[in-house]
Amino acid sequence: GSSGGWSNYCSDVSFELWRERAGQRLLFVRVTHGNGTRGPGQSFGAREPVIVQGCGGQPMCELSRFRQAMKPYLVQDFDSECGLEGPERVRPERGLSKQPGEGTYRQ
């Protein structure tokens, strides 16, 4: 476990995309947490599934359901949410463009 509410050294969260069966289009997301180690040279703990709210209490979440659960956390307007003004603003001419219907930017 972690001490004082903080994750251990080298902790991580992984997002995995799974296909139900070969040839099928239904995709699932699995989120896992690796609790790292207590310090350099120490062994790593086991990975544990993260149950995402809105996914029915299951460790595997159908992709559309996962996207809906994450929607409140996605950036809708990077510039305003980060308080960027003037030359700091994210603009297409700087190599970043907002994708239609998405709350994210990509290069």
Side-chain angles (χ1 to χ4, degrees):
S2 60
S3 59
W6 290 92
S7 292
N8 287 331
Y9 178 79
C10 291
S11 294
D12 69 279
V13 175
S14 295
F15 295 83
E16 303 170 352
L17 185 61
W18 290 73
R19 185 177 311 274
E20 186 176 29
R21 288 188 181 87
Q24 292 187 342
R25 296 182 52 100
L26 194 57
L27 299 174
F28 293 86
V29 175
R30 180 172 74 170
V31 182
T32 60
H33 176 253
N35 202 24
T37 177
R38 297 199 181 272
Q42 301 293 314
S43 62
F44 284 82
R47 299 199 67 77
E48 296 185 18
V50 174
I51 306 301
V52 176
Q53 271 189 316
C55 289
Q58 300 298 313
M60 298 290 274
C61 187
E62 198 272 318
L63 180 60
S64 64
R65 199 169 183 181
F66 180 80
R67 290 181 69 165
Q68 187 64 35
M70 294 295 106
K71 198 171 193 170
Y73 307 104
L74 294 177
V75 174
Q76 298 302 313
D77 184 342
F78 188 87
D79 293 328
S80 66
E81 291 181 39
C82 293
L84 299 178
E85 297 179 8
E88 295 177 320
R89 292 180 56 96
V90 174
R91 297 187 188 124
E93 63 268 20
R94 290 185 59 196
L96 298 174
S97 61
K98 189 169 183 177
Q99 300 302 303
E102 295 292 327
T104 58
Y105 288 82
R106 72 175 189 180
Q107 276 186 266

